[in-house]
Amino acid sequence: MITDQIEFQKLDKREPIPYSLLLLADPSRKIVDSYINSSDIYTAKIGQQTVGVIVLLTLTDSTIEIKNVAVKFEFQQQGIGSLLIKNAIRIAGSDHQKTLCIGTANSSTRQLYLYQKLGFEISEIRMNYFKKNYTEPIYEQGIQAKHLLVLTMQIPANHSN
Ligand code: ACO
C-alpha cells in the first residue's frame, strides 16, 4: 500500500510553503496567506517528494481547525488524505485539544463524504461564505460553492496516541 511509504512530518518554518498543494484545496492565495503563517503545516512525503499537506490552526485553548488538506492529483484516492486527517486527529488529541473542526463548501460532496466517514459531523453552515469571500464563482461538478459547511469532531480524552 502506498500509505506504508508515507512519511508524515511537520514542516520547518524555514522550508518553502507548498503553495501548489495548498491552492488545490483553496484557490485564493490571499485567503491561504491569511492563516498560513500562524498555522502548523504537516507534509506527507514519499522519499523526497511532497505528495500531501495538512494545515492546523489553533483557534482556542480547546479547538484546532484543519484549514487546508490536499493530496497531489496523481496520488489521490489511495488513502493519503484519510491518513493526513487521522494524523491531525492524533495531534489534536495529544495536544489535549477537545474539538477539531474543518470547513468545506456545499459543492464539495466528495470531501463531505470523507470527513463524515472519518467521524466529523456538520455543526454549522455559514450562508453565502464563498459568494462573499471569493472574487470568482467556484463550481464543482456543476454545483456552485455558495455556503461553508463546518464539520466538528469531539476528540475523546484518551485519543493521544
Ligand atoms: N470520487 C469519489 N470518491 C472519492 C474520490 C473521488 N474522486 N476520491 C476519493 N474518494 C473517496 C475514496 O473512495 C475514499 O473512500 P473509501 O475509503 O470509502 O473508498 C475516501 O474518499 C478517502 O479517500 P482518500 O484516498 O483517503 O483521499 P485522498 O487521498 O484522495 O484525499 C482530498 C482527499 C484531500 C480531499 C483530495 O482528494 C484532494 O486533495 N482534493 C483536492 C483538494 C481539496 O479539495 N481539499 C479539501 C478542501 S477543504 C479543506 O481543505 C479544509
Side-chain angles (χ1 to χ4, degrees):
M1 275 201 311
I2 200 159
T3 45
D4 295 337
Q5 300 172 44
I6 296 287
E7 232 181 287
F8 180 78
Q9 51 193 219
K10 190 169 175 178
L11 192 80
D12 190 281
K13 295 276 181 206
R14 288 164 302 187
E15 289 183 79
I17 295 169
Y19 276 108
S20 57
L21 274 167
L22 298 172
L23 293 170
L24 285 179
D26 189 334
S28 167
R29 167 84 187 232
K30 196 172 150 204
I31 292 182
V32 171
D33 280 338
S34 71
Y35 59 75
I36 203 67
N37 289 319
S38 352
S39 301
D40 289 327
I41 306 172
Y42 294 86
T43 56
K45 280 186 158 185
I46 297 179
Q48 291 302 304
Q49 188 180 186
T50 301
V51 298
V53 69
I54 191 159
V55 177
L56 303 184
L57 177 68
T58 300
L59 296 182
T60 68
D61 282 351
S62 61
T63 311
I64 288 186
E65 180 175 354
I66 299 175
K67 294 297 290 182
N68 191 305
V69 54
V71 174
K72 252 189 189 171
F73 184 74
E74 60 271 34
F75 288 92
Q76 289 178 10
Q77 295 189 63
Q78 298 177 67
I80 299 172
S82 302
L83 184 81
L84 284 165
I85 295 171
K86 284 178 187 163
N87 274 311
I89 297 168
R90 185 178 50 76
I91 289 165
S94 62
D95 237 8
H96 306 293
Q97 307 280 353
K98 295 183 194 71
T99 307
L100 185 62
C101 64
I102 187 163
T104 197
N106 60 285
S107 51
S108 300
T109 50
R110 208 176 112 188
Q111 290 81 347
L112 282 166
Y113 161 78
L114 173 60
Y115 305 154
Q116 290 179 89
K117 203 177 127 192
L118 290 172
F120 290 87
E121 288 194 22
I122 295 170
S123 52
E124 187 188 342
I125 302 178
R126 294 190 196 148
M127 298 302 285
N128 295 311
Y129 173 88
F130 288 90
K131 287 172 89 176
K132 286 180 199 154
N133 290 286
Y134 290 76
T135 46
E136 298 292 324
I138 303 168
Y139 283 87
E140 296 178 285
Q141 293 159 17
I143 303 172
Q144 186 173 5
K146 292 183 187 168
H147 317 301
L148 180 75
L149 276 66
V150 180
L151 295 95
T152 302
M153 174 190 288
Q154 302 302 330
I155 300 167
N158 60 356
H159 200 304
S160 59
N161 44 40

